[in-house]
């Protein structure tokens, strides 16, 4: 058997072929060209990695303007131009040799490295797999110099010419041009089938550095295009840079955070999205010591941190700049410098997570509400509303095949509302009040320095798990992407919303009840407070509720007072005493967990605040307090929390309102024949009901339904309160038969 033919073949297992005794293969040093190509393949995996190396060199050079030009996803052309300090003419011959650098002299310098590059391999690697040319001019040079490189060495621009750098006219800085990337590695070249996909990766990388590098202008575009893919001005702030690159939808929802620890030797700053913004995939822009890196540990911690704040399937946007003492960081652990290792990783991540969590908890939480209301039933001024638009952050759709008309969504929240088409009855007061006067009584919110409390009670975690276990996925997705249409019936508490191409009627009373119960579980022990100044007398409030219950047929009962077979007169005085004693005896617990502030003398100083911008009807307050006696299980912890939060949610549900007054017969005739009737022909409505109606309409559209869209977990119970009334596809089928 020929020995050469058996080289590298596998011996058969059946033993029919006798093994051939071979001499051990000799170890040989690889040729330098092979070594350089292997190293280049590790460092430059794709065009985006070549761009990253060149981009970091430009920033290291002190540039304040960087321009990138891309052709065919960077495979045909990748050009980066900066206005940095340039490269000396005498350094050009060794510029593309391996391990030539101006940033590192000894191995110990790695412990305090402050630049992006340090190994001197980037340009050498590029020159072995592409045609590379460099044009540079320093501040002291009279002209620019252009050099061409191949395999790490100077080569002539054309055959027969000198390989030495040529003097040319040029501006200060450096321009590096990479052409025909991977021209001599055909297998790697064929792996890139989509230039547009590679260009998208390049835009993502440029966008990351454009966000982080303040004081540096970036621009990136395709070769031949007149418009820029990315452009950021020099003077733009970090928030403005995010707005330029990622859009206003995310920039409007960002909050800033900052934390540091001298013991752990780090400082972290950044911007993160609040609970109103979520996307399908997490967007983490991470820089460690000003180097764009990836960290699965940080990404996982952020995902877990946001899970209580965002609906299932929603992910946040976060930009994080982490500066760590260089002696604690090892940057030389990955060929492309994509990853770094640092000491006390778990502790630092935990510190950052705590800061982000505290920032999120503060952003939409109001701590104090001041009011002069002395008795329930008094008029409540409408709360101030801060509206930031739709809050429904959907990535822009890419152009594609034109959808069928029966799949088109026909509503846009920015367009005219259905309520604007309805005729509103004029009144004398409506013509006299200005918008400023209507808003003059808005509540004032005060913030305290109270730290958020992390709830570790097993019973609360179990109640939260029960809600998640009862989630109806399709209904939750419908609420997460719905568009508010209008209120249909304020007496029956019915509103119309649109989900996709379907129109629904929802019982917003039932939805509010479920939502506020979930808010109670999510913000447990961290509620704001509606304060009463002066405090209200608890016994007086209970007496008002008892009088109402006594005059109104109801199923109300306290304890076992009505368990006997024969009916007996209910002792309301005893019930009031028991409820008052129960609430006063539990005042410390209800204040700590629910922000229900009751003094030992029986004075009510504050009640929980579950939603900023909405005040529940204080006419329901006496009955709410009275029901806390018999309808809350004070003996079992889990049932106590469940029943208390159920009663609190019921208190926060918007009340039913009577229908609006109708026009008189003469007014109706005048309305049919011409202009709107004068106020004198319109039936008068109670001013308090009228103000409350306007307040609820505003709150439902601009506060509550956006809140449902952001964080409601729709349970199966809500199926009874949602009815589909129209489906665009079904309507098309009906009309097709006509």
């Amino acid at each position: 058997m020929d020995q050469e033919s058996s080289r590298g073949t596998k011996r058969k297992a059946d033993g029919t072929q006798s093994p051939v005794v071979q001499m051990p293969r000799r170890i040989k040093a690889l040729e330098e060209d092979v070594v350089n190509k292997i190293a280049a393949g590790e460092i430059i995996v794709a065009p985006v990695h070549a761009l990253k190396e060149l981009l970091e060199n430009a920033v290291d050079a002190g540039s304040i303007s960087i321009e990138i030009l891309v052709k065919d996803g960077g495979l045909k052309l990748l050009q980066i131009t900066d206005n940095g300090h340039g490269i000396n003419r005498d350094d050009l011959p060794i510029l593309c040799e391996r391990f030539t650098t101006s940033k590192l002299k000894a191995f110990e310098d790695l412990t305090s490295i402050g630049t992006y590059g340090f190994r001197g391999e980037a340009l050498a690697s590029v020159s072995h797999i592409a045609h590379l040319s460099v044009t540079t001019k320093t501040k002291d040079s009279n002209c620019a110099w252009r050099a061409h490189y191949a395999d790490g060495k100077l080569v002539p621009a054309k055959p027969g010419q000198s390989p030495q750098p040529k003097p040319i006219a040029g501006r200060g800085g450096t321009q590096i041009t990479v052409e025909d990337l991977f021209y001599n590695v055909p297998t790697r070249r064929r792996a890139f089938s989509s230039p547009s996909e590679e260009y998208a990766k390049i835009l993502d990388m440029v966008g990351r550095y454009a966000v982080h590098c303040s004081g540096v202008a970036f621009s990136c575009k395709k070769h031949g295009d007149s418009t820029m893919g990315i452009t950021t001005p020099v003077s733009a702030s970090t928030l403005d840079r995010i707005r330029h690159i990622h859009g206003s939808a995310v920039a409007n929802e960002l909050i800033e955070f900052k934390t540091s620890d001298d013991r752990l030797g780090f400082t972290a700053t950044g911007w993160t999205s609040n609970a109103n913004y979520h996307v399908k995939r997490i967007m983490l822009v991470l820089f460690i010591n000003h180097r764009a890196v990836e960290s699965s540990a940080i990404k996982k911690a952020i995902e877990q941190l946001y899970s209580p704040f965002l609906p299932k399937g929603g992910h946040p946007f976060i930009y994080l700049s982490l500066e760590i003492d260089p002696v604690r960081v090892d940057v030389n652990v990955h060929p492309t410098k994509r990853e770094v290792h640092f000491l006390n990783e778990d502790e630092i991540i935990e510190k950052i997570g705590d800061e982000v969590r505290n920032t999120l908890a503060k952003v939409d939480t109001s701590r104090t509400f001041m009011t002069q209301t002395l008795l329930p039933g008094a008029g409540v001024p409408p709360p101030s509303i801060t509206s930031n638009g739709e809050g429904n952050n959907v990535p822009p759709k890419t152009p594609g095949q034109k959808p069928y008309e029966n799949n088109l969504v026909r509503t846009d929240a920015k367009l005219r509302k259905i309520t604007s088409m309805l005729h509103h009855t004029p009144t004398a007061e409506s013509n006299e009040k200005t918008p400023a006067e209507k808003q003059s009584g808005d509540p004032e919110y005060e913030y305290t320095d109270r730290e958020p409390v992390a709830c570790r009670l097993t019973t609360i975690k179990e109640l939260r798990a029960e809600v998640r276990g009862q989630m109806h996925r399709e209904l939750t997705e419908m609420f997460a992407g719905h568009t508010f249409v209008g209120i249909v019936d304020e007496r029956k508490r019915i509103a119309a919303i649109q989900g996709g191409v379907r129109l629904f009627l929802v019982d917003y009373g039932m939805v509010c009840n479920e939502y506020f119960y979930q808010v109670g579980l999510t913000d447990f022990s961290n509620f704001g407070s509606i304060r009463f100044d002066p405090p209200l007398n608890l016994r007086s409030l209970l007496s008002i509720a008892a009088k109402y219950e006594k005059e109104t047929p109801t199923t109300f009962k306290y304890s076992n007072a009505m368990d006997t077979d024969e009916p007996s007169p209910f002792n309301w005085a005893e019930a009031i005493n028991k409820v008052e004693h129960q609430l006063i005896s539990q005042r410390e617990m209800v204040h700590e967990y629910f922000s229900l502030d009751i003094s030992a003398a029986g004075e009510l100083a504050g009640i929980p605040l579950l939603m900023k911008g909405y005040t529940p009807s204080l006419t329901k307050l006496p009955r709410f307090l009275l029901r806390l006696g018999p309808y809350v299980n004070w003996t079992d912890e889990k049932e106590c929390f469940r029943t208390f939060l159920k009663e609190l949610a019921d208190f926060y549900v918007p009340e039913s309102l009577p229908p609006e007054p109708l026009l008189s017969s003469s007014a109706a005739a005048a309305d049919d024949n011409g202009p709107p009737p004068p106020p004198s022909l319109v039936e008068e409505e109670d001013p308090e009901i009228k103000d409350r109606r306007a307040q609820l309409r505003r709150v439902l559209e601009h506060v509550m339904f956006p809140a449902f869209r952001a964080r409601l977990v729709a349970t199966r119970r809500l199926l009874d309160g949602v009815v589909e009334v129209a489906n665009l596809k079904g309507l098309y089928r009906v009309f097709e038969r006509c």
Side-chain angles (χ1 to χ4, degrees):
M1 182 176 178
D2 187 18
Q3 182 172 344
E4 288 301 324
S5 64
S6 66
R7 183 180 296 273
T9 61
K10 186 176 180 181
R11 182 172 62 86
K12 295 183 178 180
D14 57 7
T16 58
Q17 188 178 18
S18 59
V20 178
V21 179
Q22 299 180 5
M23 295 298 291
R25 299 179 184 179
R26 300 295 301 275
I27 299 176
K28 298 180 181 180
L30 292 174
E31 295 181 5
E32 185 178 357
D33 180 64
V34 177
V35 173
N36 291 330
K37 287 184 178 179
I38 292 175
E42 292 179 347
I43 297 171
I44 310 299
V45 180
V48 66
H49 297 107
L51 171 84
K52 180 176 181 291
E53 299 289 349
L54 301 179
L55 199 62
E56 291 176 347
N57 285 343
V59 177
D60 281 340
S63 308
I64 61 172
S65 176
I66 299 176
E67 302 170 4
I68 299 120
L69 185 64
V70 181
K71 185 176 181 181
D72 288 347
L75 295 171
K76 190 66 177 175
L77 173 67
L78 186 61
Q79 185 180 84
I80 179 166
T81 306
D82 65 62
N83 62 350
H85 51 61
I87 304 170
N88 287 324
R89 160 67 178 81
D90 297 336
D91 293 336
L92 290 177
I94 63 170
L95 176 65
C96 290
E97 292 184 8
R98 292 189 70 195
F99 309 121
T100 56
T101 179
S102 61
K103 304 160 188 174
L104 192 67
K105 294 182 179 180
F107 180 78
E108 290 74 16
D109 294 341
L110 280 174
T111 60
S112 59
I113 193 72
T115 57
Y116 292 108
F118 55 86
R119 289 195 297 243
E121 287 189 291
L123 289 175
S125 299
V126 173
S127 71
H128 283 89
I129 55 177
H131 299 126
L132 178 67
S133 64
V134 177
T135 303
T136 183
K137 181 180 182 297
T138 60
K139 182 179 180 181
D140 300 330
S141 177
N142 294 327
C143 63
W145 297 90
R146 176 172 293 171
H148 298 265
Y149 296 88
D151 297 329
K153 300 177 181 179
L154 283 170
V155 295
K158 295 181 180 180
Q161 295 182 353
S162 171
Q164 295 302 314
K166 301 293 188 299
I168 62 170
R171 64 182 186 180
T174 303
Q175 181 183 83
I176 298 179
T177 305
V178 180
E179 297 177 283
D180 299 322
L181 192 62
F182 301 118
Y183 75 96
N184 55 356
V185 190
T187 54
R188 179 71 63 84
R189 180 71 179 243
R190 287 194 296 269
F192 303 106
S193 58
S194 175
S196 60
E197 183 178 342
E198 298 306 314
Y199 180 64
K201 294 178 182 178
I202 288 175
L203 286 180
D204 177 71
M205 183 61 66
V206 175
R208 290 173 183 269
Y209 279 92
V211 168
H212 179 74
C213 299
S214 57
V216 182
F218 287 83
S219 65
C220 179
K221 73 171 184 175
K222 281 185 180 180
H223 182 270
D225 281 5
S226 59
T227 58
M228 293 288 180
I230 284 180
T231 177
T232 57
V234 179
S235 59
S237 64
T238 301
L239 187 60
D240 290 335
R241 291 169 179 264
I242 296 175
R243 190 185 311 276
H244 275 94
I245 297 166
H246 299 282
S248 298
V250 58
N252 292 338
E253 306 294 345
L254 292 182
I255 49 178
E256 189 175 12
F257 65 91
K258 182 176 182 180
T259 184
S260 61
D261 191 302
D262 295 335
R263 182 180 66 84
L264 298 176
F266 82 95
T267 299
T269 59
W271 293 81
T272 187
S273 57
N274 59 26
N276 294 328
Y277 180 87
H278 58 88
V279 287
K280 293 182 179 179
R281 294 181 60 186
I282 184 173
M283 184 58 189
L284 173 61
V285 181
L286 174 62
F287 281 79
I288 297 181
N289 286 2
H290 306 287
R291 189 183 305 278
V293 296
E294 297 178 3
S295 173
S296 57
I298 293 179
K299 182 178 290 187
K300 183 178 179 181
I302 295 296
E303 293 273 22
Q304 293 176 347
L305 184 153
Y306 268 88
S307 58
F309 296 93
L310 300 180
K312 189 171 183 179
H315 302 278
F317 171 95
I318 181 168
Y319 159 65
L320 172 61
S321 176
L322 183 59
E323 295 188 37
I324 307 176
D325 188 352
V327 299
R328 299 170 178 258
V329 182
D330 186 0
V331 296
N332 192 27
V333 296
H334 196 277
T336 64
K337 300 189 280 287
R338 186 179 63 185
E339 299 176 2
V340 297
H341 290 171
F342 53 92
L343 298 178
N344 307 113
E345 182 175 358
D346 293 339
E347 292 88 342
I348 290 176
I349 293 176
E350 184 179 0
K351 284 275 188 181
I352 296 172
D354 291 342
E355 177 63 24
V356 174
R357 186 181 296 105
N358 294 340
T359 304
L360 288 173
K362 293 176 182 177
V363 89
D364 288 327
T365 304
S366 171
R367 295 300 179 191
T368 307
F369 172 72
M370 304 300 296
T371 180
Q372 295 295 323
T373 304
L374 301 180
L375 291 175
V380 181
S384 61
I385 293 179
T386 302
S387 177
N388 52 13
E390 288 301 304
N392 188 17
N393 303 290
V394 180
K397 297 182 179 179
T398 56
Q401 185 178 1
K402 183 179 179 180
Y404 291 108
E405 290 185 354
N406 59 348
N407 289 327
L408 293 176
V409 178
R410 298 306 180 98
T411 64
D412 186 343
K414 300 182 184 65
L415 300 180
R416 187 181 184 190
K417 299 288 185 182
I418 191 173
T419 51
S420 66
M421 306 176 189
L422 304 179
H423 175 68
H424 296 280
T425 55
T427 61
E429 291 84 354
S430 63
N431 296 327
E432 296 173 0
K433 292 184 179 180
T434 64
E437 292 171 341
K438 293 179 181 178
Q439 301 294 329
S440 61
D442 285 350
E444 297 178 359
Y445 292 94
E446 297 180 359
Y447 294 87
T448 68
D449 55 358
R450 172 187 169 188
E451 293 294 330
V453 179
C455 179
R456 296 183 174 87
L457 295 176
T458 304
T459 50
I460 292 297
K461 293 181 179 179
E462 290 175 355
L463 292 173
R464 292 173 180 172
E466 289 179 6
V467 172
R468 290 192 296 268
Q470 298 170 4
M471 182 182 73
H472 190 280
R473 185 174 302 276
E474 182 180 354
L475 198 59
T476 302
E477 292 176 354
M478 186 272 289
F479 273 105
H482 81 272
T483 300
F484 181 82
V485 177
I487 299 175
V488 177
D489 191 328
E490 291 166 318
R491 183 174 62 85
K492 297 181 179 180
R493 293 182 295 196
I494 296 175
I497 63 174
Q498 179 174 335
V501 294
R502 297 184 293 176
L503 182 66
F504 299 91
L505 293 181
V506 297
D507 182 342
Y508 65 78
M510 182 183 294
V511 179
C512 286
N513 187 286
E514 181 64 31
Y515 173 78
F516 285 119
Y517 174 69
Q518 294 177 15
V519 170
L521 292 175
T522 304
D523 299 345
F524 190 81
S525 298
N526 292 288
F527 300 122
S529 179
I530 300 177
R531 309 297 300 175
F532 297 108
D533 186 17
L536 309 180
N537 184 272
L538 179 62
R539 189 172 187 84
S540 299
L541 295 173
L542 295 174
S543 299
I544 293 173
K547 181 180 179 181
Y548 174 81
E549 295 290 344
K550 185 176 181 181
E551 297 174 352
T552 306
T554 180
T555 57
F556 182 89
K557 61 179 181 179
Y558 187 84
S559 188
N560 295 322
M562 298 182 67
D563 290 346
T564 57
D565 295 335
E566 296 182 2
S568 59
F570 189 76
N571 191 337
W572 286 102
E574 181 182 356
I576 292 173
N577 291 333
K578 287 186 177 182
V579 175
E580 183 183 25
H581 174 74
Q582 185 73 53
L583 293 178
I584 293 177
S585 63
Q586 300 287 346
R587 67 183 184 278
E588 294 182 359
M589 186 269 287
V590 297
H591 182 259
E592 178 182 359
Y593 290 154
F594 306 107
S595 296
L596 184 63
D597 191 359
I598 300 175
S599 67
E603 292 184 333
L604 179 66
I607 59 176
L609 175 63
L610 301 187
M611 174 180 282
K612 183 180 178 181
Y614 167 64
T615 305
S617 174
L618 294 183
T619 57
K620 299 169 63 176
L621 180 61
R623 192 168 187 268
F624 163 66
L625 295 171
L626 186 63
R627 287 177 61 89
L628 293 181
Y631 290 99
V632 174
N633 187 340
W634 297 97
T635 59
D636 180 78
E637 180 180 301
K638 182 177 179 179
E639 288 303 312
C640 176
F641 293 157
R642 184 206 305 273
T643 51
F644 192 102
L645 291 176
K646 288 288 186 183
E647 293 300 322
L648 181 59
D650 186 64
F651 168 60
Y652 260 83
V653 171
E655 68 276 17
S656 298
L657 295 177
E660 285 188 282
L662 300 176
L663 297 175
S664 63
S665 57
S666 57
D671 185 47
D672 292 338
N673 297 330
S680 59
L681 298 180
V682 181
E683 295 183 12
E684 290 294 332
E685 184 178 19
D686 184 88
E688 291 188 4
I689 295 179
K690 176 186 172 184
D691 292 342
R692 183 62 177 174
R693 188 191 308 280
Q695 178 192 11
L696 282 182
R697 286 176 175 175
R698 182 161 52 96
V699 168
L700 283 169
E701 180 176 357
H702 298 290
V703 180
M704 288 190 177
F705 275 88
F708 300 160
R709 186 167 51 234
R711 58 185 294 190
L712 174 66
V713 177
T715 58
R716 288 185 288 272
R717 184 178 72 90
L718 295 183
L719 290 172
D720 296 333
V722 179
V723 177
E724 180 181 327
V725 295
N727 186 321
L728 190 59
K729 294 182 180 180
L731 292 176
Y732 263 79
R733 286 195 292 268
V734 171
F735 286 111
E736 284 173 357
R737 300 192 191 104
C738 300

